[in-house]
Amino acid sequence: MPSVGIVSLGCAKNRVDAEMMMYQLNQAGFQLKEDPAMADAVIVNTCGFIESAKQESIDEILELALLKKEGKIKAIIVTGCLAERYNSDIMKELTEVDAVIGIGKNADIAAVVKQALDGNKVEDFPDKMLLPMEGGRVQSTEPHWAYLKIADGCDNCCTYCAIPLIRGSFRSRKMETIVEEAERLVRNGVKEINVIAQDTTRYGEDNYGKLMLPELLRRLCKIEDLHWIRVLYCYPDRLTDELLDTIREEDKIVNYIDLPLQHCDGRVLRAMNRRGDKESLIKLVQHIREKIPGVILRTTLITGFPGETDEEFEELSDFVAQTSFERLGCFAYSQEEDTPAALLPDQIDEDVKKRRAEIITEQEALIMDKWCESMVGKEIEVLTDGFDRYADCFFGRSAFDAPEVDPCVFFTVTDRKPRSGEIIRVRITDHIDCDLVGEMIES
């Protein structure tokens, strides 16, 4: 059978979709190639969330088009959010593409690849709600950690966001199938599971009539040999005391909460179709830290939303200083067509948006530096990821660090070399930028 390579861009949820497609291809007899340049056909599982992500997807397709022109690959298949969002426009603009399919066609990926390799042009955009949420996966992360997608779509309808247009309405998976998938992952060597959805805190509201994330987490905690459970993408309005109590009480759930707030000014938040203001959000952060002592909080913020005044940006900067999030990502607002915010007056100059994002990022770097300094002398658990030849030491992640977005822990060893996926203890001795540095402690 021919070989296939997959390039998956964007978020972790998209990555899980790619892993499910890889499984379908493997079952159909295709040979999976780690290096797409060595494959007969290449699937680009695109992101279409914001302008920079769209451009990254297009650039990847254009690079593959050069390989196709040189005869190194035979077919290019475009899937994912960009394909779902722009449909037939992709093939019109990128004539080198052989197939473009919407997310509702993912289950038929093997047939689509075969058609493309046979020289047929394919365009198919069925109902996005047909996106498979159950099934096998070929894990593309390190063997010892994985993402676990518990829902898809979104009903929050933030005015800046195209996700509801792309992924459809929010829909949860059945709890039994999620637990079964987690058990399979752990049997295959996974020690850390990162629970994801567009809004994890909404889990179960559609299927069970109430918020069921705490119950799901407690069931996941019963899985033997699972060491860490991390919860990502928590919507602030649904961060209940029941959920906070569950995180505090269950040893396997790391004290880490990803809480995307986007802004703190009340007027800006209302324009975003989000709730709260600076005072209420500061109270929420204080409440979380009181309920879960030592919790690590991560947030994402948007600068340059239409109409954001200098005073409102200063309020955001002051909020960052007051809350001292241990982890923070900041993005300049991206004006996305077909979203309500794109039509708002007072769109802000690109340079102003980006400079404001840079200011928040620089501000957060100082906060993280101070936090890293507070960790010197402490002993922490680290999940070993491997050996860094450049730094000439081992590296991994602590419970404080989500994969792919947070810093690492670099550590030296004396005699015994830890295995990839092994959980060891490290004494922190220093930090470089935002990465902790330490030495492995022998038992």
Side-chain angles (χ1 to χ4, degrees), residues 1 44 51 76 85 111 114 148 155 163 198 210 224 251 285 294 343 371 385 409 422 430:
M1 285 290 285
V44 185
E51 187 60 36
I76 301 171
R85 187 171 185 182
K114 186 177 185 304
L148 183 65
D155 291 337
I163 291 299
Q198 196 63 35
K210 61 178 181 176
E224 192 174 353
D251 292 338
V285 170
L343 302 177
W371 178 85
D385 284 326
V409 179
E422 182 179 354
D430 200 356

Side-chain angles (χ1 to χ4, degrees), residues 288-354:
I288 295 169
R289 286 176 169 154
E290 288 170 0
K291 294 282 283 184
I292 310 175
V295 68
I296 299 298
L297 293 180
R298 177 180 179 83
T299 195
T300 51
L301 301 173
I302 296 173
T303 58
F305 187 81
E308 182 190 56
T309 64
D310 290 340
E311 292 75 18
E312 288 165 343
F313 171 71
E314 289 297 329
E315 184 177 33
L316 181 64
S317 176
D318 184 62
F319 173 76
V320 170
Q322 287 189 56
T323 50
S324 295
F325 281 91
E326 289 82 5
R327 305 285 185 264
L328 185 149
C330 187
F331 304 91
Y333 166 73
S334 178
Q335 186 179 9
E336 295 299 314
E337 69 268 31
D338 301 322
T339 63
L343 302 177
L344 289 175
D346 301 321
Q347 298 286 331
I348 293 175
D349 181 78
E350 286 294 328
D351 290 341
V352 173
K353 291 190 290 188
K354 291 177 181 178

Side-chain angles (χ1 to χ4, degrees), residues 1-2 4 6 16-32 43 101 103 105-114 130-139:
M1 285 290 285
V4 182
I6 293 187
V16 172
D17 291 346
E19 291 179 344
M20 293 179 71
M21 285 191 283
M22 289 166 66
Y23 179 84
Q24 294 289 335
L25 292 163
N26 192 46
Q27 291 296 106
F30 285 96
Q31 182 183 2
L32 299 177
I43 298 166
I101 61 170
I103 61 175
K105 191 68 174 176
N106 281 11
D108 299 321
I109 188 62
V112 171
V113 172
K114 186 177 185 304
L130 296 174
L131 171 73
M133 294 173 59
E134 316 289 350
R137 292 163 55 183
V138 174
Q139 193 177 327

Side-chain angles (χ1 to χ4, degrees), residues 53-234:
K54 289 186 286 186
Q55 191 59 53
E56 181 185 18
S57 297
I58 293 169
D59 290 344
E60 184 66 40
I61 295 168
L62 291 175
E63 286 186 24
L64 292 170
L66 292 176
L67 294 179
K68 183 183 175 186
K69 186 177 180 180
E70 295 169 0
K72 295 181 179 178
I73 61 175
K74 298 175 182 176
I76 301 171
I77 298 95
V78 179
T79 64
C81 291
L82 192 74
E84 180 65 41
R85 187 171 185 182
Y86 294 106
N87 295 169
S88 299
D89 289 343
I90 292 178
M91 198 172 286
K92 291 176 185 175
E93 298 294 328
L94 301 167
T95 56
E96 302 88 351
V97 170
D98 299 280
V100 183
I101 61 170
I103 61 175
K105 191 68 174 176
N106 281 11
D108 299 321
I109 188 62
V112 171
V113 172
K114 186 177 185 304
Q115 286 179 275
L117 286 171
D118 287 342
N120 300 310
K121 293 284 187 177
V122 181
E123 290 183 299
D124 200 348
F125 310 100
D127 188 343
K128 58 176 65 72
M129 304 300 277
L130 296 174
L131 171 73
M133 294 173 59
E134 316 289 350
R137 292 163 55 183
V138 174
Q139 193 177 327
S140 63
T141 59
E142 295 294 326
H144 49 273
W145 68 268
Y147 294 111
L148 183 65
K149 186 164 74 167
I150 63 174
D152 207 284
C154 188
D155 291 337
N156 291 333
C157 297
C158 301
T159 59
Y160 55 82
C161 184
I163 291 299
L165 299 172
I166 299 170
R167 308 293 292 197
S169 60
F170 182 85
R171 51 208 184 275
S172 303
R173 295 175 58 190
K174 294 292 185 182
M175 191 176 300
E176 292 74 19
T177 64
I178 296 172
V179 174
E180 288 171 4
E181 181 178 344
E183 290 172 340
R184 287 197 303 272
L185 290 169
V186 173
R187 284 197 299 270
N188 290 333
V190 168
K191 289 189 169 75
E192 175 192 11
I193 280 177
N194 297 273
V195 178
I196 58 172
Q198 196 63 35
D199 176 2
T200 54
T201 43
R202 195 169 197 148
Y203 172 74
E205 189 177 61
D206 51 341
N207 286 341
Y208 303 100
K210 61 178 181 176
L211 303 177
M212 290 289 283
L213 182 59
E215 173 63 22
L216 172 63
L217 292 174
R218 290 190 186 277
R219 289 188 61 175
L220 292 174
C221 286
K222 295 178 181 178
I223 299 175
E224 192 174 353
D225 297 327
L226 176 58
H227 192 74
W228 283 345
I229 300 170
R230 189 184 309 276
V231 185
L232 303 177
Y233 317 129
C234 296

